[in-house]
Amino acid sequence: MPQKASQQGRIKHRSTLKLDSPPPSKKFKATNSVMTLSLSPCSVIKPRNKPPSIPHLSKTSWPVTAITKDAKGKGKVTRDVHAESSDDRLWVDKYEPRSLEDLAVHKRKVDDVRRWLAEAFSEIGLSKHRRLLILSGPAGSGKTATLRVLAREMDFEIAEYKNNTNSTQFSALTGEPSTSDTQDTFATFLNRAGSYTSVFTSARRRLVLVEDLPNILHPGIRARFHDTLRVYVERASGVVPVIIVVSDAGLRTEGDSSGGRSLDLVIDARTVVPPGLPDSLFSEIRFNPIALTLITSAVRRVMDLANVRLSPSALHTIVEGAGGDVRSGIMTLEFSCGHPKSRKQSTRLSVGSIVLVTQREEALLLFHLVGKIMYNKRKGDSPSRSASRKDIARDRALDQSLKDPPPLPLWLAAEERRTSRVDVDALFTSTPIDASLFGLYIHQNYTQYCTNLEQCNSNGPENWYDANPHAFHIRALGTLHSLPSPVSSTGQRIYKPAFFDALQRERGARDALDYTSNWLSSTRLWPLVAMTTELGGILRVLGRRAPHGHHTFSELVFGRDSVGAKAMTEGDVEGGVVDYDEGETRESHYLEDDDIEDW
Amino acid sequence: MLWVDDYRPRTLNELHYHVRLSQRLKSLAGSGDFPHLLFYGPSGAGKKTRIAATLNELFGGGVEKLKIDQRVFITPSRKKLDVNVVQSNYHIELTPSEVGNYDRIVIQEILKEIAQTQQVDVSAKHRFKVVVINEADSLSRDAQAALRRTMEKYMTNLRIILCANSTSRLIAPIKSRCLLIRVAAPSHEEMLTVLNHVAKRAGAGLLPQDMADEIITDANGNMRKAILVFEAMKMQSPDLSSSPPIVKPDWETYCYKVGDMIIQEQTPQRVMEVRAKLYELLSHCIPPTIILKTVADRVVQKVDESLKADIMHWAAIYENRMRLGNKKIYHLEAWVVKVMSLYKQFFLGIELGDLDDFI
């Protein structure tokens, strides 16, 4: 193949553009690690439907030569890799959607993207304002897939930027990775991708896809990234549209402690776009988690292609478990169909094992958790007015699956309750917070849901203290037991505990006390209680001569309350609050931590 | 400087009341065999003044060369604790309960440090150093246990003086290792003497009798409070001719209003309102025990005779729980709900006995 040889020569020479072949997919990295060792920071990806002129490039197996070079360029390792027949790829890549029909994304979303692309590629009109597009959405919602399908349909070429982690240059003096290098590669890539076309291409139009972002959490790198983007986007002409794909980080889960603490640490559309860029210059299209029906059909399609069969219930479990993530759904399917070699036989799997495979540790939103407890649904509740028929049917099915407990003896008749629809064990496994914080939320909210005072009375949280391994269950069950059923709905809202606000102000007051104590005497320790309870009068008389900030503990005006609980919304994550609780409350004097169970 | 600090007696001889107690302390200090001491009594009775005076008797004027340090202790979980410590060459004074549950670490570290160092000053009257522990009754059990052990072990190098409001929260082994010294609240006449003395020294002229009576009644045996109020009055009207009315502290009126709220209405809605008030009190560093006590006092004044015992009974129970558990607000609120429900039941005429059975 003389043609190929010359290309490779050129690639080596320029060492910025490299042909990754055959499968231009981000998953490929994982399946065939040799490819990632490439020196070049970018790869030009060809649309999947290869023009007929070079069909053999991707369809047949042929030796790929990957060139590796260590950082200083001393040695060269050349390895021949026989890309095996595409069998070894994951199903997600192997059976990736090829046409609009296959795509599990909602048609309207696809239309949005297509319209944007059409405008961007048009010679006149809006193209000036269609230079930067952010595709955001949860993982597996088909952002990249949509682009690839559209690339095929609209006949354009995608040049994808890839970080090259292997060629990180260490500066000889400091031993630190020189960030400027990696950053420059992005700028270089953007410029070149904008100006040159791939040697293979027959497509007239191109766009630049940035999925593998540089480490923009680093302020310096982010600044440069923004600069590069801004300069590029604001250029007068000859600009190839740039599409940046941003996957939302899973902020909901407990493990992600960084979530919500600071906006800086979260990659979203706002961090990617250079600040101050006029709105007209970029657009964002948000992808939503994919609907169950769409995932079902996508999984079905893969099943057909891969020639496996599953019982409807197993399919249902897979789809449910995917949680709006097509990729996860297909992965589960592949995994549950067993070893690749033996997958020729159609496998039948028990639903149970699929549940094992698919179960995600997705935390229940705090909002829903508190709501579930507070609304205290019990067997035989009449459905709410807004409930759809499906909801009613589901409730009925649930009721049938619930077993009534044996009746209570006569002397406990007052404690008789209808069977609860709330599965406390399930709540416990999916709770995003620990029991003591849960207690605070319950405490903050339960009173609103009581219709008369007696229901507040034997309420769970008060009667047990924290040093109890079953605290969560006791609280949940105790609260459920005491709440009226059905709960009267009078437009209650769920509030965040006012506790933290109060605690913060208490700490402020404590600082003021320290200060006052120093002011009072340099050789004597004033008892705190005496300061808070006895000093008020004299401090007021002292007026301006009194120590600064003393009013935080000495002044209390009835009716001027600032402890207001904030209402919670569905979007709230517990991140910030939890950290606060774990880290800080322990310091406080009146809030002893769980050490108390030591004795 | 406030008068309370300025005109505080320095030696046992200067003390105005509890003369026999002063004599005993004096002879103890002179005997050469000085035990661990536990001073207890209501706040403002003069415990710390007596402790300081006793130290003065023991070691001489050197104990008045004081400096305040902030000591940092590190818990096993790498948490830093800052504790203010007052120190002289002969003694060290601290309030370990400042750090809440970590008080055991503070006690252990400090005592070990003191116990393992010998007095280097050859001219010192005694070989031991004294550790004064304030608010000993708020020490956790862990800390008390640690204290008990050290008291036996390091008797040669150190003596401990504990200062507490009541002995009921101290574990028996500690009580039995100390000489208990009760400092009772001063009587009306004794307080009057002290106030006149302060007035003379401050050059405030003669204190009018009715004004003094008013102050003393308001202070209710708390000498510190009386002097503070006196000074505030003096600031308001320098010639003491017109006596301005004594204003209750904000937190106290606040607590009374909370008590009234409980009596007025008994609904879940009201519970939430009361909760907001309780949070407000807590965030002003008013100790929860005092909140509970003050509110309960107020409620008891307003309710029927037959309810009073019950309300106090539950206040005691929840006060106890408050000490065992954390998150004071739970227990305060639980008590509020309990009282509301008792009050409501009372009006509905339901037998309270039935209710108690299953609670």
Side-chain angles (χ1 to χ4, degrees):
Chain A
M1 285 191 258
Q3 187 199 6
K4 192 193 138 226
S6 72
Q7 283 152 16
Q8 280 209 334
R10 190 190 303 192
I11 289 164
K12 254 182 271 177
H13 180 65
R14 281 175 36 189
S15 82
T16 46
L17 278 175
K18 181 182 165 291
L19 183 71
D20 258 349
S21 65
S25 145
K26 55 180 175 176
K27 283 292 162 300
F28 189 70
K29 246 190 321 191
T31 54
N32 198 341
S33 64
V34 180
M35 293 321 252
T36 58
L37 296 175
S38 64
L39 189 72
S40 65
C42 63
S43 56
V44 172
I45 297 161
K46 299 196 49 59
R48 192 57 62 78
N49 59 343
K50 296 290 176 310
S53 56
I54 37 167
H56 59 280
L57 271 183
S58 64
K59 294 285 188 271
T60 60
S61 75
W62 56 292
V64 183
T65 313
I67 302 150
T68 346
K69 211 175 184 184
D70 69 12
K72 288 179 181 157
K74 274 180 194 158
K76 231 185 241 183
V77 185
T78 312
R79 259 171 77 187
D80 280 359
V81 178
H82 288 275
E84 288 179 51
S85 59
S86 49
D87 256 9
D88 255 12
R89 284 186 294 152
L90 292 172
W91 287 6
V92 186
D93 296 325
K94 198 165 147 194
Y95 305 118
E96 81 166 351
R98 281 161 198 274
S99 66
L100 278 180
E101 287 74 48
D102 297 345
L103 202 59
V105 183
H106 197 279
K107 292 284 170 287
R108 210 176 304 140
K109 277 281 175 266
V110 182
D111 285 344
D112 284 349
V113 182
R114 186 192 290 121
R115 195 177 318 120
W116 191 92
L117 288 170
E119 283 165 1
F121 288 132
S122 69
E123 299 295 322
I124 40 139
L126 281 169
S127 68
K128 215 187 283 174
H129 302 296
R130 294 284 181 264
R131 287 178 173 176
L132 179 58
L133 173 67
I134 317 282
L135 294 182
S136 60
S141 54
K143 299 177 292 289
T144 319
T146 309
L147 265 191
R148 296 202 189 287
V149 167
L150 284 174
R152 198 167 293 136
E153 179 196 300
M154 301 173 71
D155 186 27
F156 57 83
E157 179 196 62
I158 299 174
E160 184 172 357
Y161 173 76
K162 280 196 178 141
N163 277 321
N164 197 336
T165 45
N166 286 67
S167 68
T168 308
Q169 307 271 330
F170 285 85
S171 93
L173 285 175
T174 60
E176 284 172 5
S178 54
T179 47
S180 63
D181 259 17
T182 54
Q183 195 51 39
D184 289 344
T185 57
F186 181 69
T188 322
F189 165 78
L190 211 54
N191 287 332
R192 292 203 177 144
S195 337
Y196 304 112
T197 50
S198 159
V199 277
F200 288 131
T201 189
S202 66
R204 289 174 298 118
R205 307 178 290 193
R206 277 170 314 130
L207 60 79
V208 173
L209 171 65
V210 183
E211 194 161 14
D212 195 6
L213 287 165
N215 180 18
I216 58 168
L217 295 181
H218 182 278
I221 295 183
R222 180 169 58 211
R224 268 194 302 253
F225 175 78
H226 283 165
D227 287 344
T228 314
L229 261 188
R230 183 181 290 120
V231 170
Y232 182 80
V233 170
E234 286 173 351
R235 235 194 284 172
S237 62
V239 174
V240 170
V242 177
I243 297 190
I244 301 179
V245 173
V246 181
S247 284
D248 298 348
L251 286 184
R252 294 178 177 193
T253 46
E254 187 174 22
D256 191 1
S257 55
S258 69
R261 194 180 297 169
S262 140
L263 276 178
D264 273 4
L265 295 179
V266 183
I267 299 185
D268 61 4
R270 258 169 304 164
T271 33
V272 169
V273 176
L277 195 72
D279 282 355
S280 60
L281 283 179
F282 73 94
S283 352
E284 184 186 351
I285 297 180
R286 266 203 72 80
F287 281 65
N288 298 324
I290 293 171
L292 286 185
T293 47
L294 289 173
I295 296 189
T296 315
S297 54
V299 173
R300 278 233 177 80
R301 187 182 72 89
V302 174
M303 280 161 55
D304 289 346
L305 288 172
N307 194 23
V308 290
R309 264 171 297 164
L310 278 181
S311 65
S313 65
L315 179 65
H316 183 74
T317 322
I318 288 179
V319 170
E320 287 264 290
D325 183 343
V326 181
R327 191 184 298 133
S328 146
I330 296 174
M331 291 282 206
T332 318
L333 176 71
E334 179 171 6
F335 185 75
S336 55
C337 287
H339 196 265
K341 300 291 175 227
S342 62
R343 82 165 84 101
K344 285 287 172 271
Q345 304 92 21
S346 68
T347 348
R348 295 201 82 93
L349 269 175
S350 71
V351 174
S353 66
I354 292 182
V355 170
L356 274 182
V357 173
T358 59
Q359 192 157 52
R360 301 172 125 205
E361 284 193 22
E362 182 109 26
L364 201 61
L365 275 182
L366 196 49
F367 181 78
H368 293 300
L369 173 73
V370 178
K372 269 206 158 80
I373 301 275
M374 287 305 155
Y375 285 106
N376 189 23
K377 292 268 167 53
R378 287 181 184 276
K379 190 171 177 175
D381 274 354
S382 55
S384 70
R385 245 169 288 145
S386 59
S388 65
R389 192 175 302 155
K390 214 153 114 201
D391 290 340
I392 296 173
R394 203 179 47 213
D395 283 349
R396 203 164 290 154
L398 182 66
D399 283 354
Q400 262 154 21
S401 67
L402 290 172
K403 261 181 276 170
D404 283 316
L408 291 174
L410 209 61
W411 64 88
L412 284 176
E415 307 296 312
E416 185 80 58
R417 302 282 190 277
R418 283 173 300 141
T419 319
S420 178
R421 275 186 196 155
V422 183
D423 181 353
V424 177
D425 285 329
L427 280 188
F428 182 61
T429 54
S430 59
T431 173
I433 50 176
D434 66 353
S436 88
L437 189 58
F438 174 70
L440 278 175
Y441 274 91
I442 295 287
H443 167 250
Q444 181 66 40
N445 290 298
Y446 79 92
T447 23
Q448 313 175 62
Y449 293 87
C450 300
T451 38
N452 70 44
L453 195 75
E454 281 60 44
Q455 288 151 354
C456 300
N457 196 354
S458 62
N459 197 287
E462 278 80 6
N463 292 347
W464 285 272
Y465 21 94
D466 280 32
N468 188 327
H470 307 295
F472 185 93
H473 283 79
I474 292 175
R475 290 214 173 94
L477 291 170
T479 313
L480 288 175
H481 185 83
S482 312
L483 282 172
S485 169
V487 173
S488 70
S489 177
T490 51
Q492 299 101 329
R493 301 178 67 188
I494 292 179
Y495 290 97
K496 289 177 187 164
F499 180 80
F500 297 106
D501 185 37
L503 185 72
Q504 198 167 23
R505 290 190 301 129
E506 187 186 320
R507 239 182 280 138
R510 206 158 278 279
D511 288 345
L513 276 174
D514 270 354
Y515 184 78
T516 312
S517 162
N518 287 335
W519 175 85
L520 279 170
S521 164
S522 54
T523 56
R524 201 182 141 199
L525 296 178
W526 268 73
L528 284 185
V529 185
M531 286 204 285
T532 49
T533 56
E534 291 164 22
L535 268 184
I538 199 153
L539 286 174
R540 197 176 320 141
V541 177
L542 278 170
R544 209 171 286 167
R545 281 178 295 146
H548 177 71
H550 70 86
H551 56 86
T552 47
F553 63 88
S554 66
E555 256 171 45
L556 260 166
V557 181
F558 195 79
R560 200 194 62 189
D561 298 314
S562 45
V563 178
K566 289 186 198 77
M568 250 172 95
T569 58
E570 198 157 348
D572 278 326
V573 276
E574 77 298 335
V577 184
V578 168
D579 296 339
Y580 193 28
D581 182 61
E582 295 308 313
E584 312 277 68
T585 55
R586 306 267 146 110
E587 284 176 21
S588 158
H589 177 76
Y590 294 123
L591 244 190
E592 293 124 357
D593 64 351
D594 297 339
D595 284 359
I596 206 140
E597 63 192 303
D598 284 354
W599 46 269
Chain B
M1 287 278 269
L2 299 177
W3 289 357
V4 201
D5 290 330
D6 271 350
Y7 308 126
R8 193 175 178 211
R10 296 250 158 78
T11 62
L12 289 173
N13 290 331
E14 289 174 33
L15 291 166
H16 287 95
Y17 52 91
H18 299 333
V19 183
R20 288 184 56 202
L21 177 61
S22 302
Q23 283 168 357
R24 276 187 72 185
L25 287 172
K26 211 175 194 172
S27 57
L28 259 183
S31 72
D33 187 19
F34 192 76
H36 299 302
L37 297 182
L38 165 56
F39 282 81
Y40 67 102
S43 57
K47 299 182 292 295
K48 283 171 89 175
T49 310
R50 273 161 188 75
I51 291 173
T54 312
L55 288 174
N56 194 307
E57 188 72 29
L58 264 177
F59 297 104
V63 283
E64 282 174 38
K65 285 184 191 139
L66 293 168
K67 60 175 199 257
I68 292 196
D69 262 351
Q70 192 162 54
R71 296 283 281 269
V72 179
F73 299 91
I74 295 179
T75 68
S77 54
R78 302 252 149 246
K79 205 171 114 54
K80 280 191 179 162
L81 309 168
D82 295 332
V83 179
N84 286 317
V85 165
V86 177
Q87 218 169 349
S88 77
N89 282 339
Y90 308 100
H91 86 291
I92 184 167
E93 177 185 345
L94 71 161
T95 314
S97 55
E98 267 175 33
V99 292
N101 239 27
Y102 296 104
D103 50 1
R104 181 176 58 90
I105 292 148
V106 175
I107 291 259
Q108 278 178 334
E109 294 291 314
I110 279 278
L111 290 190
K112 211 180 280 173
E113 181 194 310
I114 301 288
Q116 289 171 352
T117 50
Q118 300 265 342
Q119 176 62 269
V120 283
D121 187 356
V122 260
S123 63
K125 283 192 188 165
H126 297 277
R127 280 191 60 215
F128 55 82
K129 274 195 175 188
V130 174
V131 178
V132 180
I133 294 174
N134 293 326
E135 293 173 31
D137 47 352
S138 357
L139 290 180
S140 69
R141 294 223 173 184
D142 271 355
Q144 295 191 28
L147 195 57
R148 158 195 180 179
R149 179 93 188 89
T150 349
M151 286 169 104
E152 291 170 341
K153 212 172 161 189
Y154 301 115
M155 190 69 185
T156 45
N157 283 347
L158 110 141
R159 298 289 186 278
I160 289 170
I161 298 185
L162 299 169
C163 178
N165 278 342
S166 121
T167 57
S168 64
R169 286 176 199 147
L170 289 169
I171 55 174
I174 288 197
K175 282 189 263 187
S176 83
R177 280 168 177 77
C178 293
L179 177 68
L180 269 62
I181 294 176
R182 180 173 134 82
V183 183
S187 68
H188 193 105
E189 290 71 34
E190 286 163 345
M191 289 182 86
L192 190 63
T193 330
V194 174
L195 279 182
N196 279 323
H197 170 77
V198 169
K200 208 167 84 195
R201 286 200 52 189
L206 203 63
L207 179 67
Q209 184 63 39
D210 55 336
M211 190 169 159
D213 285 344
E214 202 185 344
I215 293 176
I216 290 166
T217 320
D218 176 69
N220 196 20
N222 188 337
M223 201 64 239
R224 178 179 50 228
K225 193 177 172 190
I227 298 177
L228 280 171
V229 170
F230 177 35
E231 190 177 358
M233 279 182 154
K234 167 80 179 145
M235 281 181 198
Q236 276 171 301
S237 74
D239 54 350
L240 293 176
S241 53
S242 64
S243 86
I246 294 177
V247 269
K248 290 260 171 210
D250 281 352
W251 65 269
E252 212 171 321
T253 8
Y254 201 94
C255 283
Y256 286 165
K257 284 182 181 156
V258 172
D260 295 344
M261 282 173 82
I262 297 174
I263 302 293
Q264 281 158 14
E265 193 184 317
Q266 294 83 32
T267 57
Q269 185 55 37
R270 185 43 69 94
V271 175
M272 283 164 73
E273 288 164 27
V274 171
R275 179 197 298 163
K277 304 287 179 211
L278 292 176
Y279 267 135
E280 188 70 22
L281 279 165
L282 283 175
S283 69
H284 278 74
C285 287
I286 312 290
T289 316
I290 293 191
I291 300 177
L292 184 59
K293 188 165 164 280
T294 320
V295 177
D297 276 345
R298 178 66 169 191
V299 171
V300 163
Q301 281 172 24
K302 298 256 175 151
V303 295
D304 187 87
E305 201 66 36
S306 61
L307 276 175
K308 288 183 178 174
D310 268 333
I311 288 174
M312 277 307 176
H313 167 74
W314 285 106
I317 285 183
Y318 283 111
E319 206 270 337
N320 181 37
R321 284 188 186 164
M322 206 148 66
R323 301 189 69 80
L324 294 173
N326 41 25
K327 310 244 167 49
K328 313 298 178 195
I329 185 77
Y330 288 173
H331 307 283
L332 286 175
E333 187 175 319
W335 176 77
V336 169
V337 170
K338 190 87 213 169
V339 171
M340 282 188 177
S341 126
L342 283 173
Y343 193 75
K344 201 173 156 193
Q345 303 281 345
F346 173 74
F347 272 97
L348 292 175
I350 293 173
E351 276 298 317
L352 290 171
D354 294 348
L355 193 71
D356 279 341
D357 283 346
F358 60 81
I359 284 167

Short mmCIF file of all heavy atoms in Angstrom, two decimals, chain A residues 41 110 156 172 189 228 313 415 465 523 599:
data_model
loop_
_atom_site.label_atom_id
_atom_site.label_comp_id
_atom_site.label_asym_id
_atom_site.label_seq_id
_atom_site.Cartn_x
_atom_site.Cartn_y
_atom_site.Cartn_z
N PRO A 41 -1.83 14.38 19.68
CA PRO A 41 -2.87 14.80 20.61
C PRO A 41 -4.26 14.72 20.03
O PRO A 41 -5.22 15.01 20.70
CB PRO A 41 -2.48 16.25 20.90
CG PRO A 41 -1.82 16.68 19.64
CD PRO A 41 -1.17 15.49 19.05
N VAL A 110 -32.94 15.48 18.49
CA VAL A 110 -32.15 15.27 17.29
C VAL A 110 -32.39 16.41 16.31
O VAL A 110 -31.46 16.96 15.71
CB VAL A 110 -32.49 13.92 16.63
CG1 VAL A 110 -31.63 13.69 15.41
CG2 VAL A 110 -32.32 12.80 17.63
N PHE A 156 -20.80 15.03 7.13
CA PHE A 156 -19.68 15.86 7.53
C PHE A 156 -18.70 15.00 8.31
O PHE A 156 -18.97 13.87 8.69
CB PHE A 156 -20.12 17.09 8.33
CG PHE A 156 -20.91 16.78 9.57
CD1 PHE A 156 -20.27 16.43 10.75
CD2 PHE A 156 -22.31 16.84 9.55
CE1 PHE A 156 -21.00 16.16 11.88
CE2 PHE A 156 -23.03 16.57 10.69
CZ PHE A 156 -22.38 16.22 11.85
N ALA A 172 12.53 19.59 32.52
CA ALA A 172 13.74 19.00 33.07
C ALA A 172 14.10 19.59 34.42
O ALA A 172 14.65 18.93 35.28
CB ALA A 172 14.90 19.21 32.10
N PHE A 189 -4.31 22.16 17.96
CA PHE A 189 -5.30 21.28 17.36
C PHE A 189 -6.45 22.08 16.77
O PHE A 189 -6.88 21.85 15.65
CB PHE A 189 -5.81 20.29 18.40
CG PHE A 189 -7.06 19.60 17.99
CD1 PHE A 189 -7.00 18.54 17.09
CD2 PHE A 189 -8.29 20.00 18.47
CE1 PHE A 189 -8.15 17.90 16.69
CE2 PHE A 189 -9.44 19.35 18.07
CZ PHE A 189 -9.37 18.31 17.18
N THR A 228 -8.32 30.25 24.35
CA THR A 228 -8.24 29.60 23.05
C THR A 228 -9.61 29.55 22.40
O THR A 228 -9.78 29.90 21.22
CB THR A 228 -7.73 28.16 23.21
OG1 THR A 228 -6.62 28.17 24.08
CG2 THR A 228 -7.37 27.56 21.88
N SER A 313 -39.50 -10.12 31.32
CA SER A 313 -39.26 -9.58 32.66
C SER A 313 -37.79 -9.20 32.84
O SER A 313 -37.45 -8.20 33.45
CB SER A 313 -39.69 -10.56 33.73
OG SER A 313 -38.87 -11.71 33.65
N GLU A 415 -52.59 1.30 69.12
CA GLU A 415 -51.40 1.35 68.26
C GLU A 415 -51.64 0.71 66.90
O GLU A 415 -50.72 0.59 66.10
CB GLU A 415 -50.22 0.65 68.93
CG GLU A 415 -49.93 1.13 70.33
CD GLU A 415 -49.50 2.58 70.36
OE1 GLU A 415 -48.63 2.95 69.56
OE2 GLU A 415 -50.06 3.34 71.18
N TYR A 465 -31.96 8.49 71.58
CA TYR A 465 -30.83 9.33 71.25
C TYR A 465 -29.92 8.63 70.26
O TYR A 465 -30.12 7.47 69.91
CB TYR A 465 -30.08 9.78 72.49
CG TYR A 465 -30.26 8.95 73.70
CD1 TYR A 465 -29.37 7.95 73.98
CD2 TYR A 465 -31.34 9.17 74.56
CE1 TYR A 465 -29.53 7.18 75.09
CE2 TYR A 465 -31.50 8.39 75.68
CZ TYR A 465 -30.58 7.39 75.94
OH TYR A 465 -30.74 6.64 77.03
N THR A 523 -6.82 38.22 83.18
CA THR A 523 -6.25 37.24 84.09
C THR A 523 -7.30 36.34 84.71
O THR A 523 -7.03 35.60 85.62
CB THR A 523 -5.52 37.95 85.24
OG1 THR A 523 -6.43 38.84 85.87
CG2 THR A 523 -4.32 38.71 84.75
N TRP A 599 -18.99 5.24 76.59
CA TRP A 599 -18.97 4.79 77.97
C TRP A 599 -20.12 3.89 78.33
O TRP A 599 -21.10 3.82 77.70
CB TRP A 599 -18.93 5.96 78.95
CG TRP A 599 -19.88 7.05 78.66
CD1 TRP A 599 -19.67 8.16 77.91
CD2 TRP A 599 -21.23 7.16 79.12
NE1 TRP A 599 -20.77 8.95 77.87
CE2 TRP A 599 -21.73 8.36 78.59
CE3 TRP A 599 -22.04 6.38 79.92
CZ2 TRP A 599 -23.03 8.79 78.84
CZ3 TRP A 599 -23.33 6.81 80.17
CH2 TRP A 599 -23.82 8.02 79.63
#
